[in-house]
Amino acid sequence: MSLIVNSAVSSGRLRCLMPLLFAGLAAPLLAAAANQAPARVAGYRDLGAAFKAFNDALRSPSPQPAILQASVRKIRSAAAQQYGWFPSGSAPRPGLKTAAKPEIWSQPGRFRQSQDAFSAQAAALEPAVASGNLAVMRTAARSLGAACKGCHDQFRFDLD
Ligand code: ASC
């Protein structure tokens, strides 16, 4: 390789190779932007698993606080991270399969309200669990589910 480069430099051909070198660098950068959609898919999958674990635990007459607390930690972590899951490079376009509606990017204020509503309900789980009152926890879980649904109804294409 160094022999090839050396001979290219010595013969003044390196300048011709430069666009090719930059094209080689640009491809991974574009791929990184496209990969933001799978990143949010993974994030929502983890969130869904944590919320399911929370709801499953609440079916027991005496759920283990450690399970509830661990689920709430994961849900709150997702609520904090979701703000970074919709970079402009991950909007729908030919070749990028995503259930995210274009309104997320064309009406960012409205979308932000939905994200904030989810965040607020995620935060509210913590005092609900701390109360130790099952009915309070179940109501908080229902409110969180409603926030999920509110956002899906507006900003997610039907997956079926
Ligand atoms: C869940 C889950 C969702 C929401 C949504 C609420 O448990 O995984 O995406 O609730 O179904 O309607």
Side-chain angles (χ1 to χ4, degrees):
M1 178 60 191
S2 69
L3 268 181
I4 296 169
V5 171
N6 284 342
S7 73
V9 171
S10 62
S11 64
R13 271 184 285 138
L14 186 58
R15 214 174 309 154
C16 306
L17 292 174
M18 290 309 259
L20 286 176
L21 290 173
F22 280 116
L25 288 173
L29 289 176
L30 289 173
N35 282 339
Q36 297 291 342
R40 82 174 154 251
V41 168
Y44 280 121
R45 191 179 297 129
D46 290 348
L47 167 61
F51 193 28
K52 182 179 187 309
F54 188 79
N55 283 318
D56 286 351
L58 283 188
R59 270 187 214 107
S60 154
S62 54
Q64 287 182 37
I67 293 182
L68 297 173
Q69 287 156 6
S71 304
V72 170
R73 255 197 313 279
K74 289 177 192 165
I75 292 166
R76 294 201 63 179
S77 161
Q81 288 176 47
Q82 55 154 345
Y83 293 103
W85 286 346
F86 299 86
S88 54
S90 69
R93 61 182 151 77
L96 178 64
K97 188 170 162 267
T98 171
K101 287 190 179 174
E103 283 84 345
I104 289 169
W105 292 272
S106 64
Q107 302 178 24
R110 262 188 61 218
F111 183 59
R112 176 78 191 207
Q113 278 183 1
S114 275
Q115 290 185 299
D116 289 347
F118 163 55
S119 247
Q121 297 305 333
L125 287 184
E126 200 154 293
V129 168
S131 79
N133 182 319
L134 263 183
V136 168
M137 293 182 229
R138 288 182 180 135
T139 299
R142 265 197 304 277
S143 297
L144 178 62
C148 297
K149 183 178 183 328
C151 193
H152 293 168
D153 288 350
Q154 299 177 78
F155 296 108
R156 189 180 69 162
F157 287 117
D158 277 342
L159 298 179
D160 303 328

